[in-house]
Every structure is written in C-alpha cells, then in structure tokens.
Amino acid sequence: MTNALSPIDKAKFVAAKQATEYVKSGMKVGLGTGSTAAWMVQCLGELVRDHGLKIKGVPTSSRTAKLARDVGIDVITLDEAKWLDVTIDGTDEYDDDLNLIKGGGGAHLQEKIVATASDRMIVIADASKKVESLGAFPLPVEVIPFGMHTTKALIEETLNGMDVMGREVTQRHVADAPFVSDEGNFILDLHLKRIGNPRELSLILNQIPGVVDNGLFIDTCDVVIVGFADGRVTVRDLAADQHEVVQFNILENENLFADIKD
C-alpha cells in the first residue's frame, strides 16, 4: 500500500504516528484540521478501535469532526471539555522559534482557540514546512463580512508601515464564490513573502476593526514533529530543550489509510 502513497504522504503519516505517543487514555485532545492532521485523526481512531484507547476529541473544524466520528473517536465541544491535555495539528510554516503560520484550510480561528486552551500544542509536519522567516505562505486573516472591503483597505494601509516584503491582499475564493469559514466569515490572504516581526504584526492586525484573528501562532507551539519519506522522524521539544530522531519501518502491508485526501 505504501507504493500508492507519495513521499510527502509517507512523511505526513510517520509524523502523525509519532504524535500519537503523546496521547494517553483519559485525555481530552484537540484535533487539528488539514491533510497532515487527518493522518493523526486516523491513527488515533485505529488506537481507539483496536487498542482500547479512550479519549475525548475536540475538533477544530466541521471536516475534522466528521472524520473523527467516522473513525470512532468520541467527539465533544470545547465548552464541554473546558480544558485540553494536548492539541495536535499541522502547520503551513514554522520557524526556528516554533512560531507558525496556519490557516491554509481556513480553520485557523478554531485551531488557535483550541490550541490556546491546551496544556501543550504539538505540530506535525513534513520537512517542507520549515522556513527561516515566516511569510512565504500567504498569511490568512479572518474578517467579518460586514464592511469587508473597508477592512481590507485598512489592512493594506497598515502593511505600509510593517516590516514585510510584500503587501498584496486578496480575498480567498472557492471556485467562483468567496470562501466562508465555519463561523460564517471571509478570509483575506496577505502575500507578505517575509515577515520581519511576526509578534508585532499579529498584534497590530488584530486591532483593526473587522478583523477576527490572523493565522500567526506566536508562543503557542511546544513540540514540532517532522516526518520524512524514509520513515525518519525528528522531534523538537522546546520545554525539554530536546531534539531526537525516531525511525519507523513502513511495511508494505501496513494500513496507511490511503483514502485520505487533502
């Protein structure tokens, strides 16, 4: 079955598999959104079905909620959970300080709320997500529909005074229609190329009327797990100041959930 998977999918799978080592029975777990997080949800579902793992999952999108239920995870809301032991999610970019850009799937608002309400946030990724400076991936900003064009103009004006290389702002669309988040909001993508001061930019963007939140995750991530196509996994834990390497042997007959799509 591994022959049917691309190298990047194998990398995502082993990162997701390693992340499940942080999940123990009785935990309340934040479940991220995106193709890499989908591998993790599938891996947790297998542990629930076949190995007796008992967890409560708090999904960060309607897509993740459906997948979690489909694989047998007991899904609850964040209000029901109140606080989480751990959140496991993917990322679009991360830097040396484990600051992130998230929101390529448009779920960064729920993802940030859930991650902030957790004792630990673990990010799973393939090696392509590592960058020297954030910003190559467009920064998503969730805005309310009312006055969206005014909000967009305010963001563009604000960017003129920021340490960024690009300043193009576009509204995200799906086919010919505006993308709408689970909260009923629009997404503006900021094509910045390089962000010189992510912390400052995040704070200033969130002060603009009409902005709900942005996709910069600052001081939120505790652990980054990076997978490689050869089964190798690197784990960087900020709190423990550790960097370790794990090797998985991917068997040809292993269930790799090949039906997962981006």
Side-chain angles (χ1 to χ4, degrees), residues 44-61:
L44 287 177
E46 184 177 53
L47 292 174
V48 168
R49 293 190 313 271
D50 301 339
H51 301 279
L53 180 70
K54 298 184 183 302
I55 60 173
K56 303 287 187 181
V58 175
T60 56
S61 68

Side-chain angles (χ1 to χ4, degrees), residues 18-164:
Q18 178 64 26
T20 64
E21 294 292 321
Y22 290 82
V23 179
K24 309 300 179 186
S25 278
M27 282 188 170
K28 291 176 284 189
V29 183
L31 306 174
T33 295
S35 60
T36 310
W39 288 106
M40 174 270 301
V41 174
Q42 289 274 17
C43 288
L44 287 177
E46 184 177 53
L47 292 174
V48 168
R49 293 190 313 271
D50 301 339
H51 301 279
L53 180 70
K54 298 184 183 302
I55 60 173
K56 303 287 187 181
V58 175
T60 56
S61 68
S62 56
R63 306 190 298 280
T64 297
K66 182 182 184 305
L67 176 60
R69 291 189 181 99
D70 287 347
V71 300
I73 296 174
D74 188 4
V75 171
I76 61 174
T77 67
L78 182 58
D79 285 336
E80 290 172 321
K82 296 183 175 61
W83 195 260
L84 306 178
D85 297 286
V86 65
T87 287
I88 305 174
D89 205 347
T91 189
D92 296 302
E93 285 186 348
Y94 75 94
D95 65 14
D96 282 332
D97 296 320
L98 304 196
N99 294 318
L100 319 171
I101 286 182
K102 290 179 51 57
H108 58 278
L109 177 58
Q110 287 192 25
E111 289 171 335
K112 188 178 287 190
I113 292 171
V114 169
T116 304
S118 305
D119 286 337
R120 303 187 87 189
M121 182 192 187
I122 297 170
V123 164
I124 49 180
D126 61 85
S128 69
K129 301 300 191 295
K130 175 69 168 61
V131 295
E132 290 188 13
S133 298
L134 298 177
F137 191 90
L139 174 64
V141 177
E142 186 157 342
V143 300
I144 65 171
F146 176 80
M148 188 274 295
H149 293 290
T150 299
T151 303
K152 179 175 179 288
L154 288 170
I155 291 173
E156 291 168 338
E157 182 180 352
T158 298
L159 291 177
N160 287 328
M162 303 304 300
D163 182 9
V164 295

Side-chain angles (χ1 to χ4, degrees), residues 4 11 41 43 97 191 220 222 244 260:
V41 174
C43 288
D97 296 320
H191 304 265
T220 305
D222 300 288
E244 62 175 320
I260 290 181

